[in-house]
Amino acid sequence: MSLAAPPRFHLAASDGAHLTLESDQGDLAHLFVLEDDIIRVMVLPGGRLDMGRTWAIAPGQDDTPPEGRDRFDLSGFSLPDFSQSLDDGVLTIETGQIRLTVRLAGLFCAWEIKVGGEWRRAARDRQTQAYNFGYWDHRVRHYLRREPGEQYYGLGERAGDLNRAGQRYEMRNIDAMGYSARTTDPLYKHIPFVITRKPDEGLAYGLFYDTLSDCTFDLGRELDNYHGAYRGFSADYGDLDYYFIAGPRLDQVTRRFTWLTGRPAFLPRWGLGYSGSTMSYTDAPDAQARMAEFLERCAEHDICCDSFHLSSGYTSIGARRYVFHWNRDKFPDPAAFARSYADQGVRLCANIKPCMLRDHPLFEEARSRGLLIMDPDGEPAWVQFWDEIGAYLDFTNTETLVWWRDQVTTALLDHGIAATWNDNNEFEIWTSSAVAHGFGTPFEAWRAKPLQTLLMIQASRDAQVRHAPARRPFLVSRSGAVGMHRYVQTWSGDNATSWETLKYNIKMGLGLALSGVSNTGHDIGGFSGPAPDAGLLVRWVQFGVFMPRFSIHSWNDDGSVNEPWMHPEVTPLIRDLIKLRLKLIPYLYTLLRAYHRDYEPVIRPTFYEFPDDAICARENDEMMLGANLLVAPVVEPGVSERAVYLPAGAGWFDVWSGALHQGGRTISLDAPWDRPPLLAREGCAIPVNIAEQHFARPADQRGFWVFPHSGEGAFTAESYEDDGETAGGPDGAWRLDVASDANQLRVHVERRGVVVGDMLFLIFPAGEARAIVVPGRDVAEERLSDGRRQVRVAVPG
């Protein structure tokens, strides 16, 4: 094709929500009007669709079939009415929220979003060679103009700043053990979704590129004088199939993208508790004794623990690891071992890996049954894996899915293992000769590595559901792709032990949450490198207790183990911080329910809640936990105070002192080791568990920390309630309606459905002096030792 003659398109077909453009050379562009706020563009140079199915798109749905969803399947979308016109070579499509214009000569798109009744320019394709119609190579490319002041977010877990502007990122899932949270790229997850925020124009939009290819985003790092300021997406293979999601607010973009890619899993409540973990215990020759010692130390130090992540040493033969193989020298009776933990209320989550070493006891069975990714000559596609050569299982083969489910069941679940920890599942396949089964349509395996990860965790989930259909399954996965939130909790991989990691892991978690993956966390204390000193461990725990996933996990260079009691001088502080975590479980669980039901992220950058405050968009180390708690982690050594910017538009209570501060300014908070800096928005109530907690003796008593308006105001708060584990079981809620004026606080308390107990405790800041009235309820008030007012309300069922 001559560069001087870009393709000229014409409108070839218009069938409801689907418009087809065709060039004289046979190139195709498909436009799909899916929602008022979502339009999809599929550009196919040469007219050929490379991969006809998608595993990412599941609008408001719980799942996709293992074999995927046809790319032309529009089910689940509302397919709204829209207008279209063709004038002087420009096609215009207009919904209630988006106006898309397409210049047919060369195919150039421009997007506008309706804000307050007026159209505002959002995005425009680059004026030169926006798509690759044979201009360069075989790669998939899309270039847009880069406008001054644009901010870019998303892309899942990325190292560095939360605003990705000026950077270049590669999506190529890799085992990046000991990574720098400030600079390392690529990392573990494949989420080709970027949010553009244009603060000067008061709008935001999202672009999701539905591809399984290794791909690259350049967000202003590259310059080329011949094309002006631009940014670009490129993929090694596949199709250019992208979704434009109009905001106009950033929070709307995140929720809508989450909805587009499926309903988040509502995992059991116990997955929010502290989870112990380390490589060292199961790698030791006396592994079962070391595991028993962990429970003994939890009891000794009263460390409350809900689960333990069983590292892969339980599968060892010599120094190597063999998935589903129990080392009976270490664990003579796996079922009895699992019972010993269950008896103490601690669930085991066992590590499983998708690669079989060539001397695995089941390798020949897997090979003879065609369960492995193979070379064209019939040999396994050999890869380097854990100090030995092996081959990956092929999850695009239905037989492999069945075999995997059976192995998860017989090797783990039947022994009493509660959950699966899907690990080392980046599927690092680099050779072009490896072939995946493709559900009967073979393809080069390296073209869909993230798909293997997604299908692996789907198969693990299916095994758990079949084994215990009455219970909601719990799974963890290190690697993943778009859609992983439908199945698992995740974490930021094998981080390095440093203050810098603590600082930038905050941003990594927020990037994931903005990208639809909100049930996430980090290895507390750092996984790889030196053991954390007492100060770093305490500060990391102070931050970690506010993340959906809270696990202390390590493989320290010196053989030590990150444990709550590793530094005796701070063990009581760690114990009490873990108990603070348990106190906050009702709030976290309510947020997880909202994530599942309403697609709201659990953790959020401050600008998510306060988009009109420009200071919130500056790089910072704070985060919102839900809409109402402002968490300010300490990320520097040797400090006892923390400067915190309070977003404008709200008042902020110091949770510990009860002092009320006005927003729009920076304050300094005390930051002792025993008390993380924490603020609550004026006009909210935080559901908490006020029962005294001890190891192996769980207790639950519902209360609310109430932070009322200082003057006139009203708000509503809820605590979602169920048994924490049953699938589709009865549920309920505690509900507060709080109205205040200068003289009194009037609190209406309501219980709905199944709730904990028949008593509710309302806890007010120490400085609250107004009369507290709870109409129609028997109440009793007392002053707590820290000066706060506690009102006990009888609410019989």
Side-chain angles (χ1 to χ4, degrees), residues 752-763:
R752 297 177 177 176
V754 178
V755 300
V756 175
D758 57 4
M759 195 76 66
L760 191 67
F761 290 79
L762 309 177
I763 302 166

Side-chain angles (χ1 to χ4, degrees), residues 421-448:
W421 171 10
N422 298 261
D423 199 16
N424 297 99
N425 51 350
E426 289 74 31
F427 284 84
E428 294 192 31
I429 301 168
W430 310 119
T431 175
S432 61
S433 64
V435 177
H437 183 273
F439 298 103
T441 305
F443 61 86
E444 294 170 308
W446 64 274
R447 293 188 171 217

Side-chain angles (χ1 to χ4, degrees), residues 139 154-159 164 167-176 183-193 211-219 221 232-237 428-430 446 449-450 480:
R139 302 187 76 200
L155 299 179
E157 61 179 12
R158 298 290 106 188
R164 320 300 194 190
Q167 299 301 314
R168 179 183 176 93
Y169 301 94
E170 182 182 1
M171 290 200 177
R172 177 169 51 86
N173 294 18
I174 196 167
D175 183 350
T183 62
T184 298
D185 187 80
L187 289 169
Y188 299 90
K189 297 176 182 67
H190 187 277
I191 304 180
F193 168 66
T211 181
L212 292 163
S213 167
D214 291 349
C215 55
T216 301
F217 285 83
D218 191 302
L219 300 176
R221 187 168 187 176
F233 160 83
S234 63
D236 290 349
Y237 62 87
E428 294 192 31
I429 301 168
W430 310 119
W446 64 274
K449 294 176 289 185

Side-chain angles (χ1 to χ4, degrees), residues 362-439:
L362 298 177
F363 189 88
E364 286 307 318
E365 175 192 342
R367 178 177 184 166
S368 63
R369 293 179 58 181
L371 307 183
L372 304 172
I373 296 174
M374 306 292 284
D375 284 337
D377 59 6
E379 278 293 302
W382 300 112
V383 297
Q384 182 65 49
F385 193 84
W386 274 88
D387 302 323
E388 180 51 286
I389 302 300
Y392 284 109
L393 289 157
D394 184 358
F395 289 89
T396 68
N397 182 345
T398 301
E399 292 298 317
T400 306
L401 298 178
V402 173
W403 183 87
W404 182 266
R405 290 195 301 258
D406 289 345
Q407 292 298 322
V408 168
T409 301
T410 58
L412 300 173
L413 305 180
D414 285 348
H415 290 305
I417 301 297
T420 58
W421 171 10
N422 298 261
D423 199 16
N424 297 99
N425 51 350
E426 289 74 31
F427 284 84
E428 294 192 31
I429 301 168
W430 310 119
T431 175
S432 61
S433 64
V435 177
H437 183 273
F439 298 103

Side-chain angles (χ1 to χ4, degrees), residues 28-44:
L28 293 177
H30 298 279
L31 309 178
F32 303 90
V33 182
L34 303 175
E35 302 286 340
D36 270 337
D37 58 347
I38 303 176
I39 293 180
R40 173 185 168 202
V41 177
M42 183 195 295
V43 181
L44 303 178

